[in-house]
Amino acid sequence: MLRYFTDTDTDITPSMAKKYDAKLISMPYSIDGVNYYPYTESDDFDFHTFYEQLRAGTLPTTSALNEDTYINYFEPVFAAGDDILYVHFSRAMSASFVSMDKAVETLKAKYPERKFYAIDTKGISIISAAIFNDVGEMLKAGKTPEEIIEWSKTAVDTYAVYFFADDLKFFKHSGRVSGLAAVMGTLIGVRPIIYMNAEGKMVSIGKERGRSKAVARLLSYVEELGNNPAASPIYIANSDSLDIAEELEAMLKEKYGKDIDTRIINVNPTAGSHCGPNAVGVCFRSIHR
């Protein structure tokens, strides 16, 4: 039997994971020295309260998982005689995967007959959610893990994500975005436009002054790079900014038809620790990232 895994950095919630009988690995964030692990004590998460804390001045930090934590997630599956397929957020963004590799090496020595398959989405938030859901559908259709891994070698780079942040201080604090210095400073109302590149890193590629222009720019990327975007779900991320996400959704439906599949998703708290509240992004199938 194959067990399907993902992590909370992909924006997948317990209810979303249940559709594919998937197991969630909880990725932590820290506030005032206290670590929090989403969904370990409840299937719900209060996104509004979390982002209100950030609006009030809290600057969370994030950290990697250690080897023992991965062993605790994976060993019961191997011990039961099952294999693992793990669709995860970008390796380029975290040292967690060094720990994961060590854990898998340790477990495969103990359970040499077991197989571990991994797909690096080279992203975080909605781009990872989109890939997770598409892989889940492939599993339901009877695709083997080997077939899915082969598909992923080229398909991962045909998912694009572009987003903007409302407050530069969160990305400045996290230090996770290259090229951000070009839009830093005291400019009021400037929103950096960021995307995930083919290396799985966040890169600032421009800026817009004002929310409306930033939303319009996201739509322009769908128009420019979309590979028949109306044929696949279009994901819209929001960090407690549903009104902005719905504005973008309305523009997409006006462009591509009211019956297109748009999915508005909350940005998970780990990613939200980096982008802050009022961020919005769009993910779509593309000709390239």
Side-chain angles (χ1 to χ4, degrees):
M1 182 176 174
L2 184 73
R3 290 305 309 271
Y4 194 24
F5 273 77
T6 191
D7 52 67
T8 55
D9 279 4
T10 65
D11 286 347
I12 296 300
T13 65
S15 61
M16 296 161 71
K18 187 176 181 180
K19 180 178 181 181
Y20 304 110
D21 193 25
K23 174 74 173 177
L24 270 178
I25 295 176
S26 183
M27 305 304 298
Y29 65 94
S30 177
I31 294 177
D32 297 329
V34 179
N35 288 330
Y36 297 90
Y37 291 82
Y39 306 119
T40 54
E41 296 182 358
S42 169
D43 283 353
D44 298 316
F45 184 84
D46 190 340
F47 289 96
H48 177 65
T49 296
F50 171 76
Y51 285 112
E52 280 292 276
Q53 287 181 282
L54 273 57
R55 289 187 179 102
T58 296
L59 290 174
T61 58
T62 59
S63 58
L65 297 183
N66 60 35
E67 180 180 350
D68 287 343
T69 300
Y70 280 109
I71 287 175
N72 289 338
Y73 276 110
F74 295 151
E75 183 162 23
V77 177
F78 282 172
D82 298 330
D83 298 328
I84 291 171
L85 171 60
Y86 177 21
V87 172
H88 58 74
F89 76 103
S90 175
R91 274 184 172 268
M93 295 185 68
S94 176
S96 268
F97 298 103
V98 175
S99 298
M100 185 193 78
D101 291 343
K102 291 178 180 178
V104 171
E105 183 179 359
T106 297
L107 290 172
K108 291 186 76 172
K110 188 174 180 180
Y111 305 93
E113 71 283 7
R114 299 277 55 85
K115 295 180 180 180
F116 181 85
Y117 306 91
I119 294 176
D120 181 357
T121 62
K122 296 196 286 187
I124 194 169
S125 187
I126 48 172
I127 188 170
S128 301
I131 295 171
F132 168 83
N133 284 330
D134 285 352
V135 169
E137 290 299 318
M138 294 172 73
L139 288 171
K140 289 177 68 174
K143 296 290 186 180
T144 67
E146 289 82 8
E147 289 173 322
I148 294 171
I149 291 296
E150 188 62 29
W151 166 86
S152 73
K153 291 177 182 178
T154 54
V156 163
D157 288 327
T158 65
Y159 293 77
V161 63
Y162 289 80
F163 58 97
F164 64 81
D166 186 65
D167 191 331
L168 297 175
K169 72 180 179 183
F170 294 97
F171 276 129
K172 182 179 180 181
H173 178 68
S174 75
R176 296 295 181 92
V177 181
S178 64
L180 193 61
V183 296
M184 294 300 290
T186 58
L187 297 177
I188 297 175
V190 168
R191 290 167 172 81
I193 308 298
I194 297 162
Y195 87 119
M196 299 293 309
N197 69 11
E199 297 176 356
K201 298 178 180 180
M202 290 189 290
V203 179
S204 175
I205 56 171
K207 58 189 176 185
E208 292 293 344
R209 186 183 293 275
R211 186 180 84 178
S212 295
K213 289 183 177 179
V215 172
R217 183 153 173 177
L218 296 188
L219 177 63
S220 74
Y221 286 118
V222 182
E223 295 171 338
E224 177 185 352
L225 297 175
N227 184 3
N228 192 13
S232 302
I234 299 177
Y235 291 78
I236 303 170
N238 82 103
S239 54
D240 200 37
S241 45
L242 182 61
D243 58 331
I244 312 174
E246 290 177 338
E247 179 183 343
L248 176 57
E249 180 183 47
M251 294 169 69
L252 287 163
K253 287 183 177 293
E254 182 178 357
K255 175 69 178 180
Y256 296 107
K258 62 181 178 64
D259 294 327
I260 63 169
D261 185 356
T262 52
R263 305 180 185 185
I264 297 178
I265 294 180
N266 292 308
V267 176
N268 69 81
T270 307
S273 297
H274 299 295
C275 70
N278 302 326
V280 167
V282 62
C283 172
F284 53 96
R285 292 304 297 269
S286 60
I287 55 177
H288 61 74
R289 291 202 173 191

